[in-house]
């Protein structure tokens, strides 16, 4: 036997909980009422919930301090936009305010007269859409023409260049020579025409889809407010208006600049009925699993109050954090489902420990013994769960931070209420059992069956039975199964070999899956399944994925553009970008190239600073848009930008690789350059998601090991607990890929939870194994499974039932939460009840320390100190007397 012990904290903690159990048993009403009062007071924080809701997608689902955010600030300062007269979509540093429609041809070609006739009607419908604004003195009606973003020489920027080219005559589209991707040598069609089939001369033979984009002004707050109201009106009326048009040749999907945010926020309200369903399912399961066919020993009310305890913990913790001003993000709505399951899990452990105490002992003694065993066990799991969640606060994603703060604090309250509020009711229930009273009507009943009465009478009106041999409550059938059938089965040497083979297959599959996991959140997943947003994204991916973002390449410092060597460095930088597989060689756009070409054509001198800057006005007269690409201040060019066109960005992997490629390329340039596009704000998650997830997992696993080492009185078992954590995390991560779950900020939350849950399953079994007084490893494992096998199954099922309602959610966020929690529970219980018992019996010689002679049953009469009391052994090593009653008498000191 191992002689190394690490119980310097476990033993005094047991004494503390022993005293607390005695105190709760003596004054149960205080411990019952005070948590109710505290919960009522803290629950007032829900008054501030509307003010604390913070569901901005960019703020909470993109990394804090992401490079693209600082790049956007630079672009915003040096290249401000002007929507009134100088609008250019590719030069926006945000997505802008817009309405976008994708028309997909029913006949596989949108370039027909019939199709364009319907498109012109659709365009007219959008442009004539009116809103009424209340202004001082009168109401004013505004349509798109009065709110649109404008370009030089034209009232509104064209929704689509082809639609503008036909000039209201749909029949012209069939005679028009359309080159692709550059139309008439100056207009890029890659984002306007999709599903294109080309002729040999790069003219369009047919196209399956066309996109119309209507940009609105946002130069000031009034413009922005008007634009948003117009977009809201569009969203409210578009479905009906499209139906009115009776379009037969095209199918329409639509999207706006506010759609993603609105649809995301709408998912929260759908969770309220699911939480109600979950709460009642959890109550029902808890009661059913604790019901016994004994009107005195049944724990129906105890189970109900256990669930109530978790509910009070959620009320108190959420209320406290709302009072403190902590933002409430939509991901936090997952937390109550989790807390219910974990809280009920702890309740089952306490009930199981209560059932292992002597029935005829006083309530104070039974409570002291229950707290000594159960409270230490749930302290281990609570500490590990809370630590795992609070470590998750290190993440740069606000959505993860908020969830971890709320869930971690809820678990702390759950623990406090379990050892106070629930413990108090357990003591009151113990008093009822002590006086042999009925569970429902609280009247005294007989403890012996009456043969002259019916079976129904004896079942309903006779109770209080217990084992005359052990003096404890009789085992429930499932606990008896773990003791008599499953324990001997799993400790059989041939079954151990089979389990080792099964584990090898599990580990190999998991590791393979880890290399298949996709990174990053797909923005369509922030909307519900039935949202109009998803059909738009589907059409965009299907027909417009050939070309990716049009990226700004920004020279961010003052350089000597008039120096030919400097211009050569700029050329080399741009050429190195064009050499990348994700960048088009021919679709870049540079004011500098145009300026140099113009200077050569008309013999302008641009080789001195004064001439270079002075002659720029001629370029801006020829091409006014380029004025927005050069930041001139006090006679110096502070910054400038050119544009490159990305291609073949069709997946999250492509987005990550494209971003990494262009950023790495400009780092090697000889001039100070940055690259930017508004989509990079979301792409930045790829740069941190893997690193941050690994960091959180490693730090949390190390913390779990320290906690296990301090509270489980054997270092070897602590190592096995840590190994189990790592094994479950690998399994969950690997099987995420098989279940189409990406590694993103949402699944990161669940991986953080996974760490805590992994400890829950392994720590209970390990602690029970270490605490067992049996002599062989197989007997100790069977004893541990007998004590905690059923509570672990109850806890796993309660957690599963706590989140099962999420599987019916129409939101990816909540379904992902269910999927990963399901994987955690499945692999957790597989490790806790299958793998870990085998590993501990084969390689985990970590039982309680005692003399070797005692272990062999060859000691003289003496005492062996256990967790609960003192046991006297005869010369054969058999227990002849136990003084647990003496130890747990009200006046006796706790162990």
């Amino acid at each position: 036997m191992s002689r190394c012990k690490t119980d310097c904290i476990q033993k005094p903690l047991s004494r503390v909980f022993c005293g607390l159990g005695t105190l709760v048993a003596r004054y149960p009403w205080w411990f019952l009422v005070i948590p109710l009062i505290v919960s009522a007071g803290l629950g007032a924080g829900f008054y501030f919930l509307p003010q604390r809701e913070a569901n901005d997608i960019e703020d909470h689902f993109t990394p804090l301090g992401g490079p693209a955010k600082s790049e956007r600030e630079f672009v915003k300062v040096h290249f401000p936009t002007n929507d009134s007269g100088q609008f250019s979509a590719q030069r926006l540093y945000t997505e802008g305010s817009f309405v976008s429609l994708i028309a997909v041809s029913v006949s596989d070609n949108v370039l027909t007269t019939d199709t364009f006739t319907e498109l012109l009607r659709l365009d007219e419908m959008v442009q004539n859409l009116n809103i009424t604004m209340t202004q001082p003195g009168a109401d004013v009606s505004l349509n798109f023409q009065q709110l649109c973003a404008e370009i030089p020489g034209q009232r509104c920027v064209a929704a689509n260049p082809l639609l503008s080219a036909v000039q209201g005559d749909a029949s012209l589209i069939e005679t028009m020579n359309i080159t692709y991707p550059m139309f008439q040598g100056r207009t890029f069609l890659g984002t306007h025409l999709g599903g294109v089939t080309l002729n040999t001369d790069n003219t369009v033979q047919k196209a399956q889809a066309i996109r119309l984009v209507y940009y609105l002004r946002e130069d000031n707050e009034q413009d922005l407010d008007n634009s948003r109201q117009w977009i809201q009106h569009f969203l409210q009326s578009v479905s009906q208006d499209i139906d009115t048009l009776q379009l037969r040749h095209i199918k329409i999907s639509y999207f706006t600049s506010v759609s993603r945010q609105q649809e995301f926020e709408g998912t929260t309200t759908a969770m309220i009925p699911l939480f109600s369903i979950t709460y009642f399912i959890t109550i029902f399961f808890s009661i059913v699993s604790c019901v016994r066919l004994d009107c005195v020993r049944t724990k129906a009310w105890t189970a109900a109050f256990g669930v109530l305890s978790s509910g009070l913990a959620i009320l108190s913790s959420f209320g406290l954090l709302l009072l403190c001003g902590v933002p409430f993000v939509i991901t936090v709505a997952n937390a109550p489902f989790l807390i219910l399951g974990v809280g009920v899990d702890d309740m089952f452990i306490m009930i199981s420990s209560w059932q292992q105490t002597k029935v005829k002992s006083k309530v104070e003694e039974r409570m002291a013994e229950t707290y000594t065993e159960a409270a230490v066990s749930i302290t281990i799991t609570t500490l590990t769960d809370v630590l795992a969640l609070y470590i998750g606060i290190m993440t740069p994603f606000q959505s993860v931070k908020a969830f971890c703060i709320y869930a971690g604090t809820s678990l702390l309250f759950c623990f406090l209420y379990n050892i106070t509020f629930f413990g108090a009711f357990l003591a009151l229930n113990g008093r009822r059992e002590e006086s042999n009273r009925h569970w429902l009507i609280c009247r005294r009943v007989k403890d012996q069956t009456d043969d002259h009465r019916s079976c129904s009478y004896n079942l309903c009106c006779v109770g209080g039975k217990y084992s005359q041999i052990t003096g404890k409550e009789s085992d429930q059938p499932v606990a008896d199964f773990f003791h008599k059938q499953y324990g001997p089965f799993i400790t059989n040497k041939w079954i151990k070999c089979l389990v080792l083979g099964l584990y090898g297959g599990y580990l190999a599959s998991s590791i393979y899956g880890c290399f298949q996991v996709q990174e990053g959140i797909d923005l369509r997943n922030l909307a519900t399944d039935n949202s109009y947003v998803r059909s738009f994204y589907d059409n965009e991916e299907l027909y417009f994925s050939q070309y990716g973002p049009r990226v700004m390449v920004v020279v961010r410092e003052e350089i000597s553009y008039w120096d030919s060597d400097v211009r050569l460095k700029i050329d080399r930088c741009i050429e190195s970008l064009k050499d990348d597989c994700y960048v088009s060689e021919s679709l870049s756009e540079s004011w500098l190239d145009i300026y140099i070409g113009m200077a050569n054509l008309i013999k302008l001198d641009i080789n001195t600073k004064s001439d270079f800057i002075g002659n720029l006005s001629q370029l801006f007269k020829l091409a006014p848009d380029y004025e927005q690409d050069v930041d001139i201040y006090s006679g110096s060019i502070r910054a400038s930008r050119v544009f490159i066109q990305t291609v073949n960005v069709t997946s999250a992997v492509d987005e990550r690789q494209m971003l990494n490629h262009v950023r790495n390329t400009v780092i090697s340039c000889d001039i100070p350059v940055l690259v930017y596009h508004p989509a990079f704000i979301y792409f930045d998650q790829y740069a941190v998601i893997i690193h941050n997830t690994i960091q959180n997992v490693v730090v949390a696993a190390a913390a779990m090991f320290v906690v296990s080492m301090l509270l489980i009185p054997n270092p070897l078992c602590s190592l096995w607990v840590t190994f189990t954590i790592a094994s479950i995390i690998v399994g969950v991560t690997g099987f995420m890929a098989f279940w189409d779950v990406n590694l993103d900020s949402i699944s990161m939350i669940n991986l953080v939870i996974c760490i805590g849950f992994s400890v829950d399953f392994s720590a209970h079994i390990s602690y029970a194994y270490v605490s067992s007084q049996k002599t062989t490893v197989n007997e100790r494992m069977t004893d541990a499974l007998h004590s905690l096998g059923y509570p672990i199954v109850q806890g796993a099922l309660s957690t599963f039932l706590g989140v099962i309602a999420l599987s019916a959610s129409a939101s990816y966020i909540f379904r992902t939460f269910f999927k990963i929690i399901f994987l955690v529970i499945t692999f957790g219980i597989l490790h806790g009840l299958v793998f870990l018992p085998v590993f501990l019996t084969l390689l985990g010689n970590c039982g309680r320390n005692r003399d070797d002679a005692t272990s062999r049953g060859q000691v003289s009469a003496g005492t062996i100190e256990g967790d609960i009391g003192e046991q006297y052994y005869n010369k054969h090593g058999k227990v002849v007397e136990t003084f647990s009653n003496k130890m747990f008498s009200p006046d006796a000191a706790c162990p």
Side-chain angles (χ1 to χ4, degrees), residues 562-856:
W562 46 90
D563 188 328
S564 59
D565 290 337
V566 172
R567 294 200 295 265
L568 184 61
K569 291 177 181 179
I570 296 175
D571 286 341
R572 282 200 297 261
C573 184
I574 300 301
E575 288 303 318
S576 63
L577 285 167
K578 291 180 183 179
D579 288 340
D580 191 272
C581 60
Y582 286 106
V583 179
S584 169
E585 295 183 8
S586 59
L587 297 175
S588 62
E589 182 179 353
S590 170
W591 68 272
L592 185 58
D593 287 347
I594 300 298
Y595 187 34
I596 294 172
M598 183 188 74
N600 291 335
L601 183 64
I602 62 175
K603 309 300 182 183
L604 284 178
D605 183 8
I606 57 172
N607 295 317
T608 65
K609 180 179 180 180
S610 58
D611 289 335
F612 188 94
I613 295 176
N615 289 323
L616 274 173
S617 57
Q618 297 191 44
L619 170 68
F620 299 153
K621 289 179 183 177
L622 178 67
D625 281 351
Y626 291 139
E627 189 173 0
Q628 301 179 62
D629 297 334
V630 185
D631 177 24
I632 302 176
Y633 183 78
S634 297
S636 298
I637 301 177
R638 297 192 301 176
S640 69
R641 63 183 173 184
V642 299
F643 297 88
I644 57 174
Q645 178 62 50
T646 59
V647 293
N648 302 320
V649 185
T650 59
S651 67
V653 174
D654 292 328
E655 291 172 351
R656 181 195 66 198
Q657 292 182 347
M658 180 272 289
L659 180 62
N660 290 338
H661 284 198
V662 295
R663 280 183 174 165
N664 291 335
T665 300
V666 297
I667 288 174
S668 61
C669 289
D670 295 328
I671 52 175
V673 175
L674 63 85
V675 286
Y676 174 73
H677 185 274
F680 287 3
I681 300 292
Y682 298 97
F683 293 178
D684 268 347
Q685 60 184 305
Y686 305 128
V688 300
I689 193 73
I690 292 181
H691 167 77
N692 198 256
T693 301
I694 293 174
Q695 171 187 288
N696 285 348
V697 168
V698 170
V699 173
M704 301 307 102
F705 173 72
V706 173
V707 172
S708 302
M709 181 75 76
L710 293 175
L711 294 178
I712 297 178
N714 188 281
L716 189 56
C717 280
S718 300
L719 285 171
W720 276 115
V721 169
T722 307
F723 169 79
T724 304
I725 294 170
S727 179
I728 295 176
I729 290 172
V730 170
V732 171
T733 306
F735 279 77
M736 278 168 49
F738 303 142
W739 211 348
D740 296 325
V741 176
N742 287 2
L743 180 60
D744 52 37
S745 59
I746 298 168
S747 54
M748 183 193 292
I749 291 172
N750 298 281
L751 289 175
V752 170
I753 296 170
C754 174
I755 299 169
F757 270 33
S758 304
V759 179
D760 287 5
F761 292 108
S762 57
H764 288 318
I765 285 293
S766 298
Y767 184 77
Y769 177 76
V770 172
S771 302
S772 174
Q773 298 297 326
K774 300 297 182 180
T775 56
T776 68
V777 289
N778 286 347
E779 288 176 346
R780 289 205 305 274
M781 182 50 64
T782 300
D783 190 39
L785 291 169
H786 174 221
S787 301
L788 287 173
Y790 184 43
I792 286 176
V793 171
Q794 284 178 305
L797 286 175
S798 67
T799 306
F800 173 74
L801 292 174
V803 299
I804 192 171
L806 297 179
S807 64
S809 172
S811 169
Y812 167 85
I813 293 174
F814 296 105
R815 279 201 314 277
T816 296
F817 189 85
F818 164 77
K819 288 180 179 180
I820 297 188
I821 293 298
F822 176 80
L823 291 175
V824 172
I825 293 169
T826 301
F827 294 146
I829 202 167
L830 186 65
H831 281 74
L833 297 182
V834 180
F835 296 148
L836 191 59
V838 171
F839 295 152
L840 287 174
T841 54
L842 288 176
L843 303 170
N845 190 19
C846 54
R848 281 287 196 193
N849 300 315
R850 69 178 74 148
D851 293 339
D852 292 341
T854 303
S855 300
R856 296 190 299 268

Side-chain angles (χ1 to χ4, degrees), residues 223-523:
D223 284 342
L224 186 59
D225 183 58
N226 291 345
S227 297
R228 286 176 178 170
Q229 291 197 42
W230 188 89
I231 292 172
Q232 291 292 348
H233 182 56
F234 170 86
L235 290 174
Q236 292 168 6
S237 61
V238 61
S239 296
Q240 183 178 351
D241 290 345
I242 290 176
D243 290 340
T244 303
L245 292 176
Q246 297 182 342
L247 304 175
R248 294 181 300 164
H249 297 92
I250 51 176
K251 292 182 178 180
I252 305 299
S253 58
Y254 55 94
F255 182 80
T256 74
S257 52
V258 302
S259 294
R260 190 187 301 121
Q261 184 66 41
Q262 284 190 351
E263 292 297 293
F264 174 65
E265 292 174 352
T267 59
T268 309
T269 55
M271 301 314 300
I272 297 174
L274 290 181
F275 182 72
S276 303
I277 293 170
T278 296
Y279 200 80
F280 285 109
I281 289 176
T282 306
I283 291 175
F284 178 77
F285 168 77
S286 301
I287 292 175
V288 169
S289 64
C290 292
V291 164
R292 309 192 68 172
L293 298 179
D294 186 305
C295 64
V296 174
R297 302 298 174 203
T298 189
K299 303 293 190 294
W301 283 115
T302 309
F305 269 75
V307 180
L308 178 60
S309 175
S310 299
L312 292 177
I314 295 169
L315 178 67
S316 300
S317 57
F318 279 38
L320 174 63
L321 293 171
L322 290 171
L323 283 169
C324 294
V326 180
F328 187 93
V329 187
I330 191 172
T331 50
V332 175
N334 285 309
F337 298 90
L338 173 70
I339 304 308
L340 275 180
V342 175
V344 172
D345 183 10
D346 292 344
M347 173 196 74
F348 290 138
I349 299 295
M350 293 189 69
I351 290 177
S352 177
S353 295
W354 170 269
Q355 291 171 334
Q356 297 301 313
T357 61
K358 302 288 186 180
V359 169
K360 291 302 182 181
S361 300
K362 293 182 179 179
V363 172
E364 292 182 14
E365 298 171 10
R366 297 185 71 182
M367 286 293 291
E369 187 174 345
T370 297
Y371 271 54
T372 301
E373 286 298 308
V376 173
S377 184
I378 67 174
T379 298
I380 295 173
T381 56
T382 299
L383 276 177
T384 52
D385 287 344
V386 171
L387 270 175
L389 287 166
Y390 281 167
I391 288 170
I393 297 174
M394 296 189 305
T395 179
F397 294 94
Q398 287 283 29
S399 57
V400 181
K401 285 177 180 287
F403 176 88
C404 290
I405 292 172
Y406 274 90
T409 307
S410 297
L411 287 177
L412 282 177
F413 272 92
C414 204
F415 171 74
L416 292 174
Y417 285 175
N418 267 323
I419 63 175
T420 54
F421 178 82
F422 174 70
F425 189 82
L426 190 62
L428 292 173
N429 188 70
R431 291 183 181 181
R432 178 190 60 79
E433 292 183 10
E434 186 178 44
S435 56
N436 219 61
R437 294 180 182 274
H438 195 280
W439 73 275
L440 183 61
I441 60 177
C442 289
R443 293 186 63 178
R444 291 181 184 273
V445 297
K446 297 177 182 180
D447 59 0
Q448 297 295 327
T449 57
D450 188 342
D451 295 337
H452 300 290
R453 294 278 192 170
S454 66
C455 293
S456 299
Y457 175 85
N458 286 324
L459 181 64
C460 298
C461 301
V462 177
K465 295 179 181 179
Y466 62 95
S467 173
Q468 298 296 327
I469 299 174
T470 63
K472 305 175 183 177
E473 294 184 28
S474 301
D475 282 341
Q476 290 181 299
V478 180
D480 199 49
F481 162 78
F482 275 103
H483 184 218
K484 295 180 179 179
Q485 279 84 38
Y486 185 74
F489 171 79
I490 200 67
T491 53
N492 180 279
K493 63 179 181 180
W494 297 111
I495 299 301
K496 290 180 183 179
C497 294
L498 180 63
V499 168
L500 291 176
L502 177 65
Y503 180 75
Y506 158 83
L507 192 60
S509 301
S510 301
I511 293 174
Y512 172 77
C514 287
F515 289 98
Q516 308 303 315
V517 174
Q518 301 294 314
E519 302 167 40
I521 188 169
D522 188 338
L523 294 179

